[in-house]
């Protein structure tokens, strides 16, 4: 059972083959509870794919099913958008109120919930993103990482099955990025949400269950992070650098130092190097 199933999606913003395709025959499946990273350089088609998953662009060619709903049918579009919550790059563009709790209540109230149910929901999502106590604050006056956590809480308040994060850490400083990644780790481990994380950082993709690599509107390859992120040739074709730990692994190998396995994170690299010293 897949929650997302894309079959040969093809898309051109100009609706013309001569202008080139932004998606060019993308087939992809995602299982419920899975965390999939979509990794690709600028212009590779990541956002276009994300827009398809939420039917923000019409399906031109190919098929897409989300939670069993055919995305080509207009009558399914709203249900699909409720199934897939989107978090974007710039947290500032995602707030509708200048008070955190009102911002978080907006979505559920729009869907007809009221009173205690909404208050309870707001309490739970603030807890989920580690922002309890910020109810009366203005989202615009928070740090970048805190803003993005509130934006994620706002999407969680609608209880979507799938969370799509389009470069949600791209505008954050290292600390803000860590804060958001920690939330994603928790959601991943909770297993209740399906996560589609779009990124051009190979380091971030390491935390996913599976990584799909995009280039020129195509999926170049996919698999577990340990396989994909250590595949220098594949990443090179996608115009990407492997994670720093992978680069260090191959540099050490060239110098005659062979580690027991290829590390994906600096923590893993350090753990492997320590016994050698
Ligand atoms: N609104 C648009 N109109 C016309 N062409 C577009 C539009 N949005 C994207 N494109 C083109 O479609 C292709 C894929 O773009 P897309 O935004 O999906 O890439 P991306 O991987 O998300 O890039 P980035 O990392 O810069 O966000 C690119 O060639 C881009 O120029
Ligand atoms: Mg993009």
């Amino acid at each position: 059972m897949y929650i997302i199933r894309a079959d040969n999606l093809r898309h051109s913003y100009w609706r013309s083959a001569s202008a080139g395709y932004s998606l060019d025959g993308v087939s992809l499946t995602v299982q419920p509870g899975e965390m999939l990273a979509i990794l690709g350089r600028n212009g590779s088609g990541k956002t276009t794919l994300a827009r398809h998953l939420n039917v923000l662009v019409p399906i031109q060619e190919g098929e897409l099913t989300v939670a069993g709903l055919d995305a080509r049918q207009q009558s399914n579009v709203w249900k699909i958008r409720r199934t897939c919550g989107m978090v974007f790059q710039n947290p500032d563009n995602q707030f509708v109120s200048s008070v955190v709790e009102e911002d978080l209540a907006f979505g559920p109230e729009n869907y007809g919930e009221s009173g205690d149910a909404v208050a309870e929901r707001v309490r739970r999502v603030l807890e989920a993103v580690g922002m309890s106590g910020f109810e009366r604050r203005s989202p615009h006056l928070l740090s970048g990482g805190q803003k993005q956590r509130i934006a994620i809480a706002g999407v969680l308040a609608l209880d979507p099955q799938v969370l799509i994060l389009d470069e949600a850490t791209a505008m954050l400083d290292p600390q803000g990025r860590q804060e958001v990644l920690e939330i994603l780790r928790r959601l991943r481990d909770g297993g209740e949400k399906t996560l589609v994380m779009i990124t051009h950082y190979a380091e971030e993709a390491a935390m996913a269950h599976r990584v799909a690599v995009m280039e020129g509107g195509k999926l170049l390859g996919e698999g577990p992070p340990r396989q994909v992120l250590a595949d220098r040739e594949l990443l090179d074709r996608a115009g990407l650098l492997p994670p720093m730990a992978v680069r260090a692994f191959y540099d050490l190998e060239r110098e005659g130092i062979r580690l027991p396995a290829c590390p994906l994170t600096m923590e893993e690299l350090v753990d492997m190097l320590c016994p050698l010293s």
Side-chain angles (χ1 to χ4, degrees), residues 13-14 22 41-48 51 167:
Y13 283 98
W14 306 101
S22 40
R41 68 170 154 191
N42 291 145
S44 56
K46 306 179 298 293
T47 295
T48 307
R51 287 193 185 129
E167 311 229 27

Side-chain angles (χ1 to χ4, degrees), residues 254-266:
R254 218 179 36 234
E255 299 297 325
I257 300 168
R258 173 100 195 145
L259 297 178
C262 180
L264 288 187
T265 63
M266 293 313 273

Side-chain angles (χ1 to χ4, degrees), residues 62-83:
E63 291 175 26
L64 174 66
T65 312
V66 178
L69 302 163
D70 185 343
R72 290 170 305 182
Q73 281 183 18
Q74 195 54 34
S75 54
N76 285 334
V77 168
W78 283 107
K79 276 192 223 152
I80 291 177
R81 292 203 186 135
R82 271 210 81 165
T83 305

Side-chain angles (χ1 to χ4, degrees), residues 4 38 46-47 49-55 66 80 83-88 94 155 160-168 194-198:
I4 296 170
I38 296 177
K46 306 179 298 293
T47 295
L49 178 57
R51 287 193 185 129
H52 276 74
L53 301 182
N54 213 5
V55 215
V66 178
I80 291 177
T83 305
C84 296
M86 291 271 268
V87 181
F88 299 96
Q94 302 175 61
V155 175
Q161 284 174 269
V162 183
L163 221 67
I164 302 166
L165 302 115
D166 190 356
E167 311 229 27
T194 306
L195 301 169
V196 178
M197 173 215 235
I198 291 171

Side-chain angles (χ1 to χ4, degrees), residues 122-264:
V122 168
R123 192 192 63 73
R124 265 194 292 128
V125 295
L126 275 175
E127 196 177 271
V129 299
M131 291 290 286
S132 302
F134 284 75
E135 289 79 359
R136 302 295 306 160
R137 298 280 288 272
S138 164
H140 299 284
L141 302 180
L142 301 172
S143 76
Q146 290 171 332
K147 281 180 190 173
Q148 200 57 301
R149 281 149 75 190
I150 295 296
I152 293 173
V155 175
L156 289 176
L158 295 168
D159 204 20
Q161 284 174 269
V162 183
L163 221 67
I164 302 166
L165 302 115
D166 190 356
E167 311 229 27
T169 64
M171 295 183 70
L172 306 181
D173 65 17
Q175 194 199 327
R177 168 171 298 155
Q178 283 316 316
E179 288 172 14
V180 169
L181 293 178
E182 188 48 43
I183 304 299
L184 298 186
R185 247 176 240 119
R186 260 195 256 161
L187 288 170
R188 175 198 66 189
D189 295 344
E192 279 173 32
K193 302 286 176 202
T194 306
L195 301 169
V196 178
M197 173 215 235
I198 291 171
T199 182
H200 59 258
Y201 293 111
E203 262 85 8
E204 284 188 0
M207 70 189 281
H209 296 121
R210 195 156 54 97
V211 182
V213 178
M214 285 195 79
E215 168 58 8
K218 293 186 161 70
L219 275 187
L220 288 190
E222 60 161 303
R226 232 161 256 293
Q227 176 194 316
V228 170
L229 300 178
D231 188 339
R232 285 181 300 174
E233 192 265 333
L234 171 70
L235 295 178
D236 190 54
R237 275 195 291 139
L240 296 164
L241 278 178
M244 206 189 301
V246 172
R247 300 203 308 268
F249 170 81
Y250 286 111
D251 288 348
L252 288 166
E253 194 178 61
R254 218 179 36 234
E255 299 297 325
I257 300 168
R258 173 100 195 145
L259 297 178
C262 180
L264 288 187

